[in-house]
Amino acid sequence: MSNARAAHLTRRGILAAGGALGLGAVLAACGDDDSSSEGSGKGTTAAKSGAWTFKDDRGTAVKLDKVPTKIVAFVGVAAALHDYGIEVKGVFGPTKTKDGKADVQAGDMDVSKLTVFGNVWDQFNVEQYAAFAPEVLITTTFDSAGTLWYVPAASASKIAKLAPSVAVSVYDRQLTTPLQRVWELAESLGADMTAAKVTDAKKRFESASQRLRAAAKAHPDIKVLAGSAAQDVFYVSGTNLSIDLEYFKALGVNFVEPPASVLKASGGWYESLSWENVDKYAADIIMMDDRTATIQPADITEATWKKLPAVKAGQVIARSPEPILSYDKCVAMVENLAKAIETAKKVS
């Protein structure tokens, strides 16, 4: 996220901006990813070579004597690595819901077997982390400065002294670039990227992307809006910085979004609307932030929301602003949007 956003936004605003950020080998036939060169083949060494090196998206090369096994990662990154067969034992970020079940960002991991250093924003148990003796910390970054996502600013320096860090950028690029970077990271950690499960997932992602491109081309009049709900505010996402929205737009999806002059106030991420003004932008499909820290569509009681044409038509779908960056997990969100566009009624 932008430096300004990270510096002064409230926790709610940060989460909502995340809703504005992010719905997600590069799929050249489907995307127009002009940043793909940033992520391809960045200095990885194969796990079998003994020593391990990985150059991350900050340009930082992490070098260890052996392939790390005591990995601590942001939960979404850990979930992606899990899909490639790399088991991360320590995590931070939204891992468990209040009832102890797996958070949506935990993917298919068995959360009962994980050591969780912090389950919510600005929470990170440094003492527990030190005792864990991590070999590397892996997370994403939402700004050009490489700020480590979900690593609290107050304890960042202490955390940094305990293990080197790797950051995968999810800032101002299409989904296919961080997908490729996590693929390379998993491969460097010893994952079998020729396994049928892995290659099949990539093929399914490519097919889903082709389907979305075709749906957008066949229904250019269908307008899509990406939103996120909080108790007092409805956030409307811009598309120019979010990895999923940038990718969907490159595939031809017709997004309705705030003008750049309005988005400027949030560093380009979103516009905040009162619930009375939630009908400011006309849309046929609304994609809603699916993270547990946000209010889900079924729980929104505001009358203005219920009167929206897309809501009345049942044309509200889930969006993953922080997608789990494995091809397997990104298939569903691409297919869901494609299906929604294919079947949507024109209501705006």
Side-chain angles (χ1 to χ4, degrees):
M1 61 181 80
S2 69
N3 293 332
R5 174 178 159 231
H8 73 264
L9 287 184
T10 63
R11 174 178 175 273
R12 177 179 294 173
I14 289 171
L15 287 168
L21 346 155
L23 190 62
V26 174
L27 182 59
C30 290
D32 304 311
D33 194 350
D34 56 10
S35 64
S36 61
S37 62
E38 297 178 18
S40 182
K42 272 197 169 183
T44 63
T45 57
K48 63 183 179 181
S49 66
W52 183 77
T53 300
F54 189 85
K55 188 174 183 181
D56 75 359
D57 290 337
R58 299 169 300 177
T60 300
V62 176
K63 300 179 181 180
L64 300 174
D65 292 337
K66 62 183 180 66
V67 177
T69 55
K70 296 202 73 175
I71 301 168
V72 172
F74 175 70
V75 61
V77 175
L81 292 174
H82 172 84
D83 287 349
Y84 292 130
I86 302 299
E87 298 302 329
V88 175
K89 298 177 182 178
V91 300
F92 57 97
T95 305
K96 299 179 181 179
T97 58
K98 292 180 180 179
D99 58 4
K101 295 181 180 179
D103 188 276
V104 65
Q105 291 184 258
D108 294 333
M109 292 189 296
D110 183 347
V111 297
S112 69
K113 296 181 179 179
L114 298 173
T115 299
V116 183
F117 301 105
N119 197 63
V120 298
W121 178 260
D122 217 28
Q123 179 188 89
F124 197 111
N125 190 320
V126 180
E127 291 74 20
Q128 185 185 24
Y129 179 67
F132 185 83
E135 294 174 308
V136 67
L137 179 148
I138 307 173
T139 187
T140 52
T141 180
F142 281 95
D143 62 26
S144 58
T147 304
L148 300 179
W149 185 234
Y150 260 81
V151 173
S155 54
S157 60
K158 294 180 181 178
I159 292 169
K161 293 176 182 177
L162 296 170
S165 60
V166 168
V168 175
S169 179
V170 287
Y171 173 72
D172 194 18
R173 59 203 62 204
Q174 291 180 31
L175 175 63
T176 42
T177 296
L179 270 174
Q180 176 65 16
R181 291 297 282 144
V182 172
W183 173 289
E184 293 166 1
L185 177 60
E187 186 173 35
S188 78
L189 292 169
D192 180 5
M193 310 312 283
T194 64
K197 178 182 177 181
V198 173
T199 57
D200 288 349
K202 187 176 180 182
K203 290 176 182 177
R204 287 188 291 111
F205 176 82
E206 293 169 352
S207 295
S209 298
Q210 291 165 356
R211 177 183 174 184
L212 179 55
R213 181 188 285 278
K217 184 176 182 179
H219 305 279
D221 59 329
I222 296 298
K223 297 178 181 178
V224 180
L225 179 145
S228 184
Q231 184 175 350
D232 302 316
V233 184
F234 183 80
Y235 299 91
V236 179
S237 302
T239 62
N240 288 332
L241 300 177
S242 304
I243 57 173
D244 61 327
L245 301 185
E246 282 202 13
Y247 184 56
F248 297 156
K249 185 167 61 175
L251 294 177
V253 175
N254 180 12
F255 282 100
V256 55
E257 60 183 309
S261 58
V262 174
L263 292 171
K264 186 177 180 180
S266 67
W269 294 105
Y270 63 89
E271 177 181 2
S272 304
L273 297 177
S274 66
W275 282 104
E276 290 76 13
N277 295 314
V278 75
D279 57 356
K280 180 176 180 179
Y281 299 101
D284 303 294
I285 297 170
I286 301 176
M287 303 173 68
M288 288 294 291
D289 188 340
D290 69 354
R291 291 172 298 174
T292 52
T294 65
I295 300 175
Q296 296 306 299
D299 299 320
I300 298 175
T301 58
E302 301 291 339
T304 47
W305 164 262
K306 294 182 177 180
K307 292 178 182 178
L308 292 177
V311 175
K312 293 172 68 175
Q315 296 176 176
V316 178
I317 64 172
R319 175 196 172 206
S320 300
E322 294 179 63
I324 293 172
L325 293 169
S326 70
Y327 285 102
D328 179 71
K329 291 299 180 290
C330 288
V331 170
M333 68 181 197
V334 179
E335 288 183 336
N336 289 345
L337 180 55
K339 181 179 179 180
I341 293 174
E342 290 165 350
T343 59
K345 297 177 182 178
K346 181 66 180 175
V347 294
S348 65

